[in-house]
Amino acid sequence: MISFAIHVGRKCGTSGKFKENDVIKFTRKAERRLRLPTDVSSHLCLSLDNLHHVTVQNEKCELLTLGTRGEKSGKSFRYGFKKWPAFLKLNYIDFGSTLFFTYVKSSQRLMLTKVVPKITKKRGHS
């Protein structure tokens, strides 16, 4: 018996069909770490005792699961993803690019909706 894998594409049918209060939109620069906005980490009920995986949808509508991490920030904590640089590399995103996200509250899914590459000015020869 021969076995084989089939890649099943996903349609991006979920974007744009939500009321404004059902989603949280934010932008971030692509850096070594991605820190989630407070309202997103609060909705996910993230705490040092409750770090869990979050589903992230890339621009190709592929779903990936990333673990969360916490870090002390003054008297409180802020939250982000483990292995974020690996996500960027997997999706061919360069550091410095601007990332546009939509967090869907009902599904607790974080969607990467747009990537604007960093513009590097080429130096002219004089």
Side-chain angles (χ1 to χ4, degrees):
M1 187 165 145
I2 300 170
S3 63
F4 56 93
I6 298 173
H7 175 73
V8 179
R10 287 186 163 78
K11 291 184 179 177
C12 288
T14 55
S15 55
K17 295 182 181 177
F18 298 98
K19 296 176 188 167
E20 278 303 310
N21 58 355
D22 293 337
V23 299
I24 299 169
K25 295 184 179 194
F26 64 97
T27 60
R28 290 286 185 266
K29 289 284 184 198
E31 299 174 333
R32 216 174 101 59
R33 292 185 177 151
L34 174 80
R35 294 185 178 104
L36 294 169
T38 306
D39 46 355
V40 173
S41 55
S42 294
H43 190 270
L44 287 166
C45 299
L46 291 174
S47 70
L48 290 183
D49 298 326
N50 188 31
L51 295 174
H52 52 83
H53 289 84
V54 175
T55 302
V56 180
Q57 179 178 302
N58 65 14
E59 282 187 301
K60 297 174 189 166
C61 298
E62 298 166 334
L63 301 178
L64 300 133
T65 304
L66 296 176
T68 52
R69 62 187 295 278
E71 67 180 41
K72 192 156 179 63
S73 174
K75 293 183 178 182
S76 61
F77 291 88
R78 55 187 174 191
Y79 301 93
F81 293 115
K82 295 178 181 176
K83 302 189 180 187
W84 182 247
F87 176 88
L88 296 175
K89 186 175 181 179
L90 181 69
N91 289 283
Y92 304 101
I93 299 170
D94 295 323
F95 286 135
S97 298
T98 303
L99 309 175
F100 292 79
F101 291 97
T102 299
Y103 173 72
V104 182
K105 292 179 181 180
S106 59
S107 62
Q108 293 190 334
R109 179 180 299 170
L110 184 62
M111 299 187 313
L112 176 60
T113 56
K114 184 178 177 184
V115 176
V116 177
K118 179 182 179 182
I119 298 171
T120 55
K121 292 184 181 179
K122 302 204 184 237
R123 296 180 184 229
H125 296 288
S126 348

